[in-house]
Every structure is written in structure tokens, then in C-alpha cells.
Amino acid sequence: MTSPNPHVATMAPYALAELTVAPGVQLISLSQNESLRAPSPLAIQAAVRAFENTAEYPDPDWTDLCEAISQVLGLSMDSILCGAGSMELINAIVRAYAGPGDHVLAPEYTYAFFRTMAQVAQADYRTAAETDLTVSVQALLAAVEPQTRIVCVANPGNPTGTSIPAADLRFLRAQLPTDVLLIVDEAYGEFIPKSKPLFDLVEQGSTIILRTFSKAYGLAGMRVGWGCFPPEIAAQTRKLLNPNNISAASQAAATAAMLDQDYMRDTCTRTIALRESFTRSCRALGLKVPDSHTNFILIQFASSATAKSADRYLRQHGILMRGMGGYGLPDCLRATIGPVQIMDTTIKCLKHWQAKET
């Protein structure tokens, strides 16, 4: 039988959420950071219209989508690349700019796909300690070595939900060697309503800012991500993208969603209000919850055994959170913010679990 490349054979599969519950129990998934409501009706209508032309390949240049992003955010269309989710873009970037003997550096608790792609590229994946589950720019800078080719930062962070000020990221870029590529993944950036995007950092070179339509725009099932790139880095990265990577329906939906900023902002406002309420309820139970700037919270229990007990109890009642053992946080569960009824049900279930434990 044909054997895979050795570095692939030793890799573990990328860990997705476990979406199984007991037979007959209704599933409530709070494990994948999906939007608490459907996307803009305009996005749905646009996708339906696009199905009339599915005999044709989709636009390989994502023209309408790039125009919409450019119009709304004031970016040059030449700086925009789109992918089948931001995962495809991370895949292409790391493979284009890291290889055997190189280092890919990231914070201690961050998006696991950075590690996966470093392994695919046969680069060494290194981490820098965080402070109170928050990215430490000083620790990242101290961990930079001559072999460091890429530094990856998710801000706000996943799975922590915490964020650092834009000034810290600007300082990080200023202090990094000019030949070190900085990837800033802002998948949850829209959930910090008063923050200004860092797209101007791209003009300084060796910096990429990534965004997605999977979270605030409610289009996780359509798989659309995008990024702002320096032109020379965009040219090299694009070589590794699938030429027809985003379906026509997905492009149409994302274009309409981008143009409906009011709907997106309303989604974020609703999410933030429910997140803060759920956070207060969890803290009232004596659970630790870092301040989140995303559409999820990280719940820290007294021990890994306690977290597993809570997870088992929630699953028995159909509620699925995401265990964080794979992220080095075995005493934590990550909970996506869903509609108010679901969050009320979840906090009641946590109260019953706690009463049972005591």
C-alpha cells in the first residue's frame, strides 16, 4: 500500500467539535462559535438568485465581493484575497512562507489551525506564554529567533475570547524584524464595535489582516473568508489557492452580507448583550470567566475533573460546549453564545449540575 509522507503520517487529525448526544435528546450545540441567528435576509436572497447560474464556474477573482469589501472598508481591491473560509488563506500563507527549519510562533492559547499548518509546512511550531489568558506581546518578542518566519496572533483570541489593544499589535509589528511575517486573525473583530481595524498595518509590509464571514455575518456554512495583504505577498499566496475556491452562491451571499452592515452590527449588539448576561450568571455560580470580546466565553472550572463532570452533565441534557483539553486548558469549557432561550436553559443546567455536585 502506498505510504503518506512521514510528516503527514505523524500528524493528528484536526480536532473538530464532538456533536453527539444521548439518543432521543435534542442537540443544543454551543461548541462551534456559530452565529446566534441566520444571516441577513439580503444574503439569503442573493444566494438563491445565484443558484440560477450554477452551470457556470464562479468568478475566480471574487470581483463583486472585493468591490463590496472595498466600498465598505475603504480598502484597495488589489490588497484583498478571498478564501474558502479564513482557514484556506492560513493554509496558503503558511505553506508559501514557512518550511523545514523555519519557526512559526504563536501565543500559548490560540487558534489550533496555526499549529496544524505549521506541521503541514514541516516548520517548527513555537509558542509564547500568555498573561491571564491574554496575548503577551513582550513574550512573543522575547520568543523570536533567527529561524522565526511567521508570527500568528488571533485578536480577539480563540479559545480565550480576550483581546489586546491595537497599540500593542502596532508595537509588535514595529519591533519584529521586517522579514518576519505577521498574521493577525481578526475572525471576531466585529464583536469589538468601537475598535478600528488594523488594515493600515498592511501598508508597512510583512503583515496580513484576516477576517471571515463565518461569525458576525452568520455565513459559516458558506465558507467565505478574506484578508488584506501587501501586493507581493498576495501574489505568492494566491498561487496556492484553489482557482475556483468560493462557490457563486457563497460569493453572492457574502457580497450582500457585507453591504448590509446594519444587520451585522445588530447581530453583534444582540450577541454582546447575551454574552454579558451569560457571563454574569456564570460568575454568580463561582465560575471564572475572562472578559470576552467574541461570540463565546471561556468558562474555567476548579479542576479538569470538575470541567469533565460539567461537560458530561450538560451532554446528558443535550447541551454541547467545547472541551479545551486540546488547547492545554483541560479545566475549561468554551461556550458559544446562542439565542436567549438557549442561554437561559444552559445556565439552569449549570445550576442543577452545581447543586448535584455539592
Side-chain angles (χ1 to χ4, degrees), residues 109 133 157-162 275 278-279 282-283 287-292 294 296-301 321-324 327 329 331-337:
Y109 307 116
L133 298 177
N158 178 14
T160 63
T162 59
R275 183 192 69 206
F278 187 63
T279 296
C282 287
R283 288 173 176 168
L287 301 170
K288 294 182 179 180
V289 180
D291 289 338
S292 175
T294 64
F296 63 85
I297 67 169
L298 186 72
I299 306 173
Q300 190 169 24
F301 294 81
M321 295 186 185
R322 186 77 174 265
M324 291 288 102
Y327 283 83
L329 295 166
D331 58 342
C332 295
L333 297 177
R334 192 189 68 194
T336 306
I337 302 303

Side-chain angles (χ1 to χ4, degrees), residues 32-48 51 65 68-69 83-87 187 190-191 211-226 246-261 263-264 267-268 295:
Q32 300 199 94
N33 298 346
E34 297 152 332
S35 175
L36 57 76
R37 66 173 177 166
S40 163
L42 298 179
I44 297 172
Q45 293 165 15
V48 170
F51 277 111
L65 177 55
I69 295 170
S86 54
M87 294 178 82
E190 291 86 358
F191 294 99
R211 289 267 173 145
T212 184
F213 285 90
S214 296
K215 312 302 180 185
Y217 292 93
L219 290 172
M222 303 301 274
R223 308 308 302 129
V224 187
W226 66 277
I246 305 175
S247 73
S250 294
Q251 288 190 45
T255 300
M258 175 57 66
L259 294 174
D260 194 353
Q261 289 290 296
Y263 187 93
M264 181 275 289
T267 297
C268 292
N295 69 336

Side-chain angles (χ1 to χ4, degrees), residues 26-112:
Q26 182 178 359
L27 170 65
I28 299 175
S29 176
L30 302 179
S31 61
Q32 300 199 94
N33 298 346
E34 297 152 332
S35 175
L36 57 76
R37 66 173 177 166
S40 163
L42 298 179
I44 297 172
Q45 293 165 15
V48 170
R49 288 194 298 270
F51 277 111
E52 297 175 0
N53 299 313
T54 52
E56 303 171 2
Y57 284 107
D59 178 2
D61 296 318
W62 329 286
T63 306
D64 291 344
L65 177 55
C66 289
E67 285 181 350
I69 295 170
S70 174
Q71 174 185 327
V72 171
L73 297 172
L75 301 176
S76 166
M77 288 181 60
D78 294 337
S79 70
I80 300 168
L81 285 187
C82 299
S86 54
M87 294 178 82
E88 185 188 20
L89 295 172
I90 294 168
N91 180 319
I93 295 163
V94 175
R95 287 192 295 129
Y97 286 94
D102 295 328
H103 292 181
V104 174
L105 175 64
E108 184 176 7
Y109 307 116
T110 195
Y111 187 32

Side-chain angles (χ1 to χ4, degrees), residues 142-199:
V144 172
E145 299 178 275
Q147 302 96 321
T148 303
R149 291 293 307 280
I150 300 176
V151 175
C152 305
V153 178
N155 193 52
N158 178 14
T160 63
T162 59
S163 69
I164 59 174
D168 287 7
L169 287 170
R170 295 186 187 282
F171 179 79
L172 175 62
R173 176 65 274 172
Q175 296 300 312
L176 284 173
T178 56
D179 62 347
V180 172
L181 178 60
L182 174 62
I183 303 173
V184 182
D185 183 357
E186 294 186 334
Y188 302 92
E190 291 86 358
F191 294 99
I192 309 181
K194 294 183 180 180
S195 69
K196 293 183 179 180
L198 295 171
F199 300 128

